[in-house]
Amino acid sequence: LGLATYVLARRMLRTTVSGRLGLALALVAAALATLTFPAQRETMLVSGSVLGALLAIAPVVLASEGAPGALVAAALGLAATYDAPVALCAASGCGALALVSRAKPRWRAAPWALVGLAPVAWMLWRRVAAPEASLDPSALSGWLGEGAPAASRWAALSVARAELGVVALGAAGLGLVVALRARVSRPLAAALAAIAIAGVLATAAGAPAGPVRFGGGLVAALAAASVLAACGMGAAVGAWTQACYGG
């Protein structure tokens, strides 16, 4: 997840910040996406939320890097096998990216989404052939993800404040505004905003948000906010440099 966040941050920052500062801010974004305890315990769980978050943002990473449509479609199909919030984040991110960039739909690649269903098909077959294997896809455990539902409707905001901090969230808001103003960075900024909104809405609908289980959509939203925060930090440094040194 940290590597995927780094890739997204580097692509975003290339349009606004150059040189070593962009590299440093991309590393900051990757560090912000690395959860603190107890949320980091998800990395040690089978089918944990960090895996779900990776599946949620992987299609956007692939699409933004110009990967073939078949590969993006397969990644979307794989995200759909995790749970509804992860599927919503992946579809929202890719949809926003395609809509804002005005990319033509590649319908011929759509059937490749079935390739992403292969792992679930294998697990279902193994569950019948070998019940002792205890294999069960997350999508069959609960459509909002396994674990207790969120304690409050807007628990995602409390988790974001605890994990990222008020300063980083403010930087994320600034980064979103700055990125949306530039035509080059606008598609990816819209995709990241869509992922963040989808993660918050999933939590509002009852997806788990701690203290033990965290929904994959929520973790993906935090990763998207981390990229936007790095962009906002770059804009702040650029403005400060301009004010102090005139360029």
Side-chain angles (χ1 to χ4, degrees), residues 7-184:
V7 171
L8 287 175
R10 281 293 289 162
R11 174 157 291 276
M12 176 74 78
L13 291 166
R14 284 194 187 107
T15 63
T16 57
V17 180
S18 60
R20 295 180 180 179
L21 178 59
L23 176 61
L25 289 173
L27 292 174
V28 168
L32 284 174
T34 304
L35 304 179
T36 59
F37 189 85
Q40 64 178 265
R41 287 185 297 182
E42 292 288 344
T43 60
M44 297 181 290
L45 298 174
V46 176
S47 190
S49 294
V50 170
L51 172 61
L54 179 59
L55 295 179
I57 68 175
V60 174
V61 174
L62 293 172
S64 65
E65 291 293 321
L71 186 58
V72 176
L76 283 170
L78 186 59
T81 65
Y82 190 87
D83 58 29
V86 168
L88 176 63
C89 287
S92 299
C94 285
L97 185 67
L99 182 64
V100 177
S101 63
R102 298 181 180 179
K104 294 182 179 180
R106 291 176 284 186
W107 300 114
R108 292 183 178 179
W112 284 92
L114 298 176
V115 175
L117 304 179
V120 166
W122 180 82
M123 284 188 285
L124 290 175
W125 176 77
R126 288 297 299 167
R127 190 171 64 170
V128 174
E132 69 279 2
S134 300
L135 294 172
D136 193 14
S138 296
L140 303 181
S141 302
W143 73 281
L144 283 176
E146 181 184 359
S152 65
R153 184 173 294 274
W154 303 112
L157 302 181
S158 300
V159 174
R161 186 170 61 250
E163 288 292 327
L164 300 180
V166 177
V167 175
L169 289 176
L174 175 61
L176 178 60
V177 173
V178 171
L180 287 177
R181 292 180 60 185
R183 184 176 60 87
V184 177

